[in-house]
Amino acid sequence: MRKAGNRGDMDVEASWIRCFHPKPEAAHTLVCFPHAGGSASYYYGLSAALDADIEMLVIQYPGRENRLYEEPARSIEALADAVTEVLAGRLGVTRPVLFGHSMGAIVAFEVARRLEREGGGPQPTGLVASACSAPSNRAECPVRTESPGPVGEEHDSDVLARIMGLGGTAQDVGEHAELIELVLPAIRADLAALGSYRAVGGAAVSCPVTVFVADSDPDVPVADAGLWGTHTTAGDAEVHVFEGDHFYLSKLPKAFLDLLQETVRTSRPEISPA
């Protein structure tokens, strides 16, 4: 059961966590993490499509949508620290499954590590990494840098192309100068955070890891998906391959929706022998 917090705590929680379709009686909780340059609204359709027994919470990173004028996080570690604190307060003792797409998978992994390290509370029962190579395989995860220069030195059009080329941002955004000015800081911050991220040696979670990957994703080779198994003590990562590109899930194919819900319902944490 959640503890009642003060107004300040509730305001902070509301800024970080969006729940588009509240289901107080749901048996399962799915927490979703957006991709680089993405926002919580990307998951609205998925939230609406979930069955009644699964409630979705979506993490809203600073610097976009309702948090547009906040300073974006500059590192994965700082983002994971902040999300962990707020999520622990929101969930209480509820044990969720974490789902992250592209950059979101890395953030979800780091949040899972922190929740497990703290002990008690909302330790995840499972982690689903979508369209993202393993943390130890950073050369491929999750947005390949084609430009030789740092993100901060790239022209605006190049930064947008890196995101839009993966299908994660509306293709007509480049036609609206005002919109570009608003979204670029968050995109640049996300890409810079990814560029500087390196998993610590032996970084792993104890919950099962499931990997979703698309057969035509140019940035996440199917052959590398199994490397996520080195980041869990619960056995090899279970890998599922879907048709499509980096954003294969955008149209909510039935195979994806069915498998995600099955994973949420059946994920169980590792049980240590007595």
Side-chain angles (χ1 to χ4, degrees), residues 18 22 67 97 114 150 172 192 194 250:
R18 306 296 303 275
R67 308 187 68 186
V97 169
R114 286 159 172 75
D172 62 351
L194 282 169
S250 292

Side-chain angles (χ1 to χ4, degrees), residues 211-226:
V211 185
F212 289 0
V213 64
D215 56 6
S216 298
D217 187 338
D219 290 276
V220 185
V222 173
D224 292 348

Side-chain angles (χ1 to χ4, degrees), residues 79-160:
L79 189 56
D81 286 344
V83 171
T84 300
E85 181 178 356
V86 175
L87 195 56
R90 169 61 182 261
L91 292 174
V93 296
T94 299
R95 303 191 68 175
V97 169
L98 308 185
F99 175 92
H101 182 74
S102 197
M103 180 188 85
I106 295 295
V107 181
F109 171 71
E110 290 296 336
V111 170
R113 288 183 60 227
R114 286 159 172 75
L115 289 173
E116 290 184 347
R117 188 168 62 216
E118 291 181 2
Q123 295 183 54
T125 61
L127 170 66
V128 182
S130 170
C132 183
S133 295
S136 55
N137 194 28
R138 278 292 301 122
E140 299 294 339
C141 176
V143 181
R144 182 181 299 135
T145 303
E146 303 294 352
S147 171
V151 173
E153 297 178 3
E154 290 185 62
H155 189 275
D156 289 353
S157 61
D158 294 329
V159 175
L160 286 171

Side-chain angles (χ1 to χ4, degrees), residues 40-90:
S41 63
Y42 179 74
Y43 287 114
Y44 184 89
L46 176 57
S47 176
L50 293 176
D51 292 339
D53 63 329
I54 301 175
E55 181 180 68
M56 175 188 287
L57 306 178
V58 188
I59 301 303
Q60 182 76 291
Y61 308 143
R64 59 216 80 197
E65 293 187 337
N66 59 306
R67 308 187 68 186
L68 183 63
Y69 296 104
E70 296 182 40
E71 184 72 18
R74 295 293 174 178
S75 73
I76 297 297
E77 292 79 7
L79 189 56
D81 286 344
V83 171
T84 300
E85 181 178 356
V86 175
L87 195 56
R90 169 61 182 261

Side-chain angles (χ1 to χ4, degrees), residues 171-184:
Q171 292 297 307
D172 62 351
V173 70
E175 300 174 5
H176 304 281
E178 297 86 356
L179 185 56
I180 290 176
E181 186 175 349
L182 291 175
V183 302
L184 269 174

Side-chain angles (χ1 to χ4, degrees), residues 220-235:
V220 185
V222 173
D224 292 348
L227 293 176
W228 272 97
T230 64
H231 295 283
T232 174
T233 61

